[in-house]
Amino acid sequence: MTEEVKAPRSRRLPRSVRERQILDAAVEVFSRHGYHSASMDEISDVAGVSKPMIYSYLGAKEDLFAKCIRREAGRLLEAVRDGLRSELPPDMQLWHGLRSFYRFVAEYRDSWTVLHRQALTVGGRFADEITMLRSRAIEVVTALVVTAGMKKGLGDRAEFSGPALAVALVGAAESLADWWLDHSEVSDSVLASWLMNLVWLGFNDLIEGSVWRPEE
């Protein structure tokens, strides 16, 4: 009798690889269905792992969604920061940062959908995560606006108006990203240039005191 040859057991993947695999699947499913309609069964199927493994590694659905938001927010911020070039003038730094932001949205549509649509819709602790992400982005833009004002000798005025102008720019960038999801024929560089022409020129006028006022 010939001895039965057993198939070799597949090697277990490292925990970090499994977690990344599960998070990738979860982002895809949450993006497609939203938090409430997404099922752990489908996430399990897409990830190719058992539900008990998901619970063991990343927790229940609420914990999993929170971890997805945290990871994607970190990736988005990292992409924008990597795009900034400190050796360039503030306006060119911002333009490169915006291009990096839109490239991230284009490459990781599911991530952006989860961050900008699903998390805000669910609210609560998830919306708080997005608020923190937006605050960090506003800090980056504020620094660029204030630096531009300082170089023109308008430090006090730039410091006063910079934070509010940064809020306006970040909000505009997010809204334009949402629009872009349905108009992907526009390049990231063109999109960033549109926003710079809309906002940055206005920044300069406001910082320098050239402002529009309503007629009395």
Side-chain angles (χ1 to χ4, degrees), residues 165 196-208 210:
L165 297 177
M196 290 296 295
N197 277 282
L198 175 67
V199 181
W200 189 261
L201 295 180
F203 280 178
N204 286 337
D205 287 344
L206 187 56
I207 288 172
E208 293 177 359
S210 177

Side-chain angles (χ1 to χ4, degrees), residues 21 58 175 188-189 194:
Q21 183 180 354
L58 295 167
S175 296
D188 55 80
S189 60
W194 283 351

Side-chain angles (χ1 to χ4, degrees), residues 37-59:
S37 298
S39 72
M40 295 295 277
D41 285 324
E42 184 173 356
I43 293 172
S44 171
D45 290 341
V46 173
V49 302
S50 67
K51 280 202 297 183
M53 179 176 285
I54 295 177
Y55 293 131
S56 173
Y57 279 21
L58 295 167

Side-chain angles (χ1 to χ4, degrees), residues 28-44:
E28 179 183 335
V29 174
F30 284 132
S31 171
R32 188 183 307 143
H33 301 297
Y35 172 71
H36 293 297
S37 298
S39 72
M40 295 295 277
D41 285 324
E42 184 173 356
I43 293 172
S44 171

Side-chain angles (χ1 to χ4, degrees), residues 94 141-142 144-146 148-149 152 154 157-158 161-170 195-211:
L94 182 58
V141 176
T142 299
L144 294 175
V145 173
V146 172
K152 294 186 177 182
L154 302 163
R157 193 174 297 166
S161 59
L165 297 177
V167 170
L169 189 146
V170 170
L195 194 56
M196 290 296 295
N197 277 282
L198 175 67
V199 181
W200 189 261
L201 295 180
F203 280 178
N204 286 337
D205 287 344
L206 187 56
I207 288 172
E208 293 177 359
S210 177
V211 297

Side-chain angles (χ1 to χ4, degrees), residues 75-121:
R75 292 169 71 184
L76 173 56
L77 272 178
E78 183 179 359
V80 172
R81 284 172 178 155
D82 286 349
L84 297 174
R85 300 180 185 177
S86 58
E87 75 278 6
L88 297 177
D91 59 333
M92 288 304 298
Q93 286 189 55
L94 182 58
W95 183 76
H96 280 290
L98 287 169
R99 283 193 69 190
S100 298
F101 167 60
Y102 290 124
R103 283 175 179 171
F104 179 91
V105 173
E107 188 173 354
Y108 302 103
R109 292 172 67 97
D110 289 346
S111 300
W112 177 246
T113 300
V114 168
L115 288 172
H116 192 62
R117 294 180 178 175
Q118 309 299 359
L120 292 175
T121 300

